Amino acid sequence: MTRRDFLQVSSLTLSALVLNACSSGEKIGDSDFKSLKIGYLPIADHLLIIAKELKKSNFIPVKFSSWADLSEAFRSKSIDGALILTPLALKLKSQGLDIKAILAAHRNGSALVVKKGVLQNKDISALKGLKIAIPSRFSTHYLLLGNLLEQGGLTPKDVKLIDMPPTEMIFALNSNSIDAFIVAEPFCAQAEELKIADMFILSHQIINDHICCVLAFHDSVLKQRSDEVSTLLGDFLTTADFINQNPQEASKLSLKFFGQKPALLENLLTQDKRIVYKNLKLQEKDLEQTLQDIKNYEVDTFEIAFKDFVDSTFVDAYLG
């Protein structure tokens, strides 16, 4: 049985719902199983998921530990939508999965950290030959790394890349399996707090105001359940405003979904430009940058038009 077959026949989504409900003491009703199922990872990029608590939004958050599992669940339609890496969503789209993005989940929000003692300076050229973990070749982090290396006269071929789930990177760094990693927060901040890594660069210092993850849905869901999607988008945008205005409270709400110390996330949210929950409407320039980098760093060669990947009608209707 293949990985995809397993996901299709398993009760993945049901199990996640039962686990979440049991751990929070919520009672599961028949109507809950009909709610939109949204996949996410326990990363700061996906903090909009706290809308479930803040707004009591009518959706089921389904947590994954890796991008591979989330993308396969999305592909097999075990979930209706997902907070997903833009390059990964584009790859699924290029393979024939009928999905569209309706919102940027955030802007900025990643960093490159290096194990303490590995480097004597922060020259980009010093990264040559290092073992650097990335979440996926189809990740914004790989594209950001490519941009950074290019600024120092290097290419991704000048480092040893290792694909790894974000949740495993800190252990790998501490056990000397890797020299560095570039990934979404809060793992970079956590590695700093544990005093096992030094900050090399924040992602906004590579490309400011970049997108990373998007909120995407199956096109059939957008067409057949547009009212639910509209309500959810409104809740997510209201939650974004709440995060900007109340970072401490937002961080406390994240505990249920991420399992990270709220103080760690609060510290990130209060830093200028480190992770941003503003300007979440996707723009053509966002997609152009991503597609160009995908080609430049030899990830793939597919061509996807903005109108075929992004549905702006929901956010336009909300913004009026």
Side-chain angles (χ1 to χ4, degrees):
M1 179 181 288
T2 66
R3 184 188 192 92
R4 190 182 306 172
D5 291 336
F6 175 75
L7 282 170
Q8 287 176 322
V9 301
S10 72
S11 56
L12 170 68
T13 304
L14 176 61
S15 298
L17 171 58
V18 172
L19 177 61
N20 287 343
C22 290
S23 63
S24 62
E26 296 174 1
K27 185 176 181 180
I28 302 174
D30 291 340
S31 62
D32 293 326
F33 292 98
K34 300 175 184 178
S35 300
L36 293 171
K37 294 175 284 294
I38 308 298
Y40 76 99
L41 264 65
I43 54 178
D45 294 1
H46 296 178
L47 188 54
L48 294 181
I49 208 75
I50 67 171
K52 179 66 178 178
E53 283 290 294
L54 179 67
K55 303 294 295 181
K56 304 303 178 185
S57 297
N58 187 28
F59 73 95
I60 301 168
V62 184
K63 184 165 70 174
F64 295 87
S65 61
S66 74
W67 290 112
D69 288 343
L70 182 144
S71 62
E72 286 301 331
F74 203 14
R75 190 197 302 271
S76 67
K77 298 188 177 181
S78 295
I79 52 178
D80 301 298
L83 293 163
I84 184 172
L85 292 163
T86 303
L88 187 54
L90 286 166
K91 179 61 175 178
L92 293 175
K93 181 77 172 181
S94 75
Q95 294 175 333
L97 190 64
D98 200 2
I99 58 173
K100 282 189 175 179
I102 67 170
L103 191 72
H106 63 100
R107 290 185 182 271
N108 302 336
S110 298
L112 171 65
V113 294
V114 180
K115 186 174 177 64
K116 279 188 174 296
V118 169
L119 296 182
Q120 302 305 312
N121 60 68
K122 288 192 175 182
D123 291 340
I124 298 172
S125 59
L127 296 173
K128 186 173 182 178
L130 295 190
K131 293 178 290 184
I132 303 179
I134 57 174
S136 165
R137 296 307 197 276
F138 287 95
S139 69
T140 306
H141 313 91
Y142 174 62
L143 305 183
L144 287 165
L145 180 61
N147 274 275
L148 175 65
L149 292 171
E150 188 175 348
Q151 293 170 24
L154 302 176
T155 74
K157 294 179 181 178
D158 290 314
V159 299
K160 300 172 184 177
L161 295 170
I162 302 173
D163 287 21
M164 183 178 294
T167 52
E168 297 177 11
M169 291 184 180
I170 289 178
F171 176 80
L173 191 71
N174 196 40
S175 62
N176 298 314
S177 297
I178 57 175
D179 301 308
F181 62 77
I182 182 168
V183 75
E185 298 288 7
F187 299 106
C188 302
Q190 187 177 12
E192 281 188 288
E193 184 180 67
L194 293 171
K195 301 187 185 305
I196 62 172
D198 292 318
M199 179 60 62
F200 189 87
I201 194 169
L202 299 174
S203 64
H204 77 81
Q205 296 169 325
I206 304 173
I207 300 177
N208 188 36
D209 207 34
H210 68 82
I211 62 167
C212 182
C213 294
V214 293
L215 174 62
F217 286 92
H218 295 287
D219 198 45
S220 59
V221 174
L222 296 178
K223 291 176 180 177
Q224 298 168 15
R225 305 178 68 174
S226 58
D227 288 346
E228 292 173 77
V229 173
S230 294
T231 299
L232 180 59
L233 179 132
D235 287 347
F236 272 20
L237 287 174
T238 302
T239 298
D241 290 337
F242 178 84
I243 293 169
N244 294 326
Q245 296 169 18
N246 305 277
Q248 184 178 49
E249 291 304 313
S251 300
K252 290 178 181 178
L253 289 175
S254 75
L255 182 60
K256 175 179 177 179
F257 303 95
F258 295 168
Q260 296 275 6
K261 293 190 296 184
L264 185 67
L265 186 56
E266 182 185 354
N267 181 44
L268 295 171
L269 295 177
T270 53
Q271 293 183 43
D272 185 42
K273 296 184 180 180
R274 188 150 181 178
I275 184 165
V276 179
Y277 291 94
K278 298 178 181 177
N279 188 26
L280 299 184
K281 179 179 177 179
L282 289 162
Q283 307 291 337
E284 290 197 38
K285 65 179 181 179
D286 295 323
L287 191 60
E288 289 171 1
Q289 172 84 55
T290 302
L291 287 170
Q292 188 59 54
D293 285 346
I294 286 173
K295 291 179 183 177
N296 287 349
Y297 303 119
E298 302 178 350
V299 180
D300 213 312
T301 58
F302 51 70
E303 294 276 357
I304 298 177
F306 182 81
K307 64 179 178 62
D308 294 329
F309 180 68
V310 176
D311 185 342
S312 299
T313 58
F314 292 93
V315 67
D316 285 343
Y318 179 84
L319 296 175

